[in-house]
Amino acid sequence: MKKLIIFCSILFSSCHSDVKYSEYISMLGGWEEGKPATFQYQTEDTISKYNLYIMLRNDNSYPYSNIFLITRMETPDNQVVVDTLEYEMAKPNGEWLGDGVSVKESKLWYKENVSFPKKGNYSFSIEQADRTLGQNYGVKNLEGITEVGLSIEKISKK
């Protein structure tokens, strides 16, 4: 029994991530085109490395098997990095990816092994850029995404 307790303690402590920032924004009534989810992260640490994740929660009303996002990161000295990203949200058989039952939560890689070279406030925005197949314009109000989040996790040295 003692060995089992020690093993479980080691297992749970090794799985612990050092989350420095985590926030969600609710998308009640859908995610409107041109209305990004915005996040602010204040840091004094210019040395450590971090992994950044986009966190999405979706329900069964989400109509697509993937999602397109436009991200924007602005540094304290007003430099801007914009990325267009695509993520799979469902398996080919239609089964949702992610954790959960009626609402699925997906933790999506955004940036890996990042440092924040300047002290101060970093601004992040995440905007949906989905389109219906064959349409020239984006989806005006994306149903099924219930929350959008950002997580910043310090990479631990082992």
Side-chain angles (χ1 to χ4, degrees):
M1 182 67 172
K2 185 176 178 182
K3 288 181 181 180
L4 178 63
I5 293 170
I6 292 170
F7 174 75
C8 288
S9 297
I10 292 170
L11 178 66
F12 288 121
S13 66
S14 66
C15 294
H16 177 71
S17 64
D18 193 2
V19 177
K20 294 298 181 186
Y21 176 88
S22 182
E23 183 179 352
Y24 281 90
I25 295 174
S26 180
M27 296 293 159
L28 293 175
W31 192 355
E32 290 183 51
E33 180 182 42
K35 300 266 179 143
T38 58
F39 306 92
Q40 304 296 319
Y41 177 64
Q42 183 76 30
T43 187
E44 298 295 316
D45 182 355
T46 61
I47 297 170
S48 299
K49 298 286 186 179
Y50 299 86
N51 290 325
L52 283 60
Y53 300 93
I54 295 171
M55 309 296 286
L56 294 181
R57 291 180 178 152
N58 69 286
D59 62 24
N60 284 329
S61 67
Y62 185 71
Y64 305 104
S65 64
N66 62 351
I67 191 166
F68 289 89
L69 303 173
I70 298 172
T71 61
R72 176 183 167 104
M73 178 177 73
E74 188 170 347
T75 65
D77 58 353
N78 298 318
Q79 292 186 23
V80 177
V81 178
V82 177
D83 293 303
T84 302
L85 308 167
E86 177 184 13
Y87 297 101
E88 291 295 316
M89 297 295 286
K91 295 178 183 177
N93 67 0
E95 181 185 343
W96 293 117
L97 298 171
D99 296 324
V101 180
S102 62
V103 173
K104 292 291 188 173
E105 180 176 51
S106 298
K107 183 177 184 177
L108 309 169
W109 280 101
Y110 170 33
K111 292 194 176 289
E112 186 177 12
N113 204 29
V114 171
S115 62
F116 296 105
K118 303 278 185 189
K119 292 180 182 182
N121 188 57
Y122 287 77
S123 176
F124 298 88
S125 68
I126 305 167
E127 186 174 345
Q128 65 95 351
D130 273 5
R131 292 178 187 227
T132 302
L133 191 60
Q135 298 294 314
N136 293 330
Y137 301 102
V139 175
K140 296 287 181 207
N141 190 41
L142 184 60
E143 297 292 327
I145 299 296
T146 60
E147 293 179 88
V148 178
L150 178 70
S151 179
I152 299 174
E153 301 179 13
K154 187 175 181 181
I155 300 170
S156 354
K157 296 179 182 175
K158 293 185 180 183

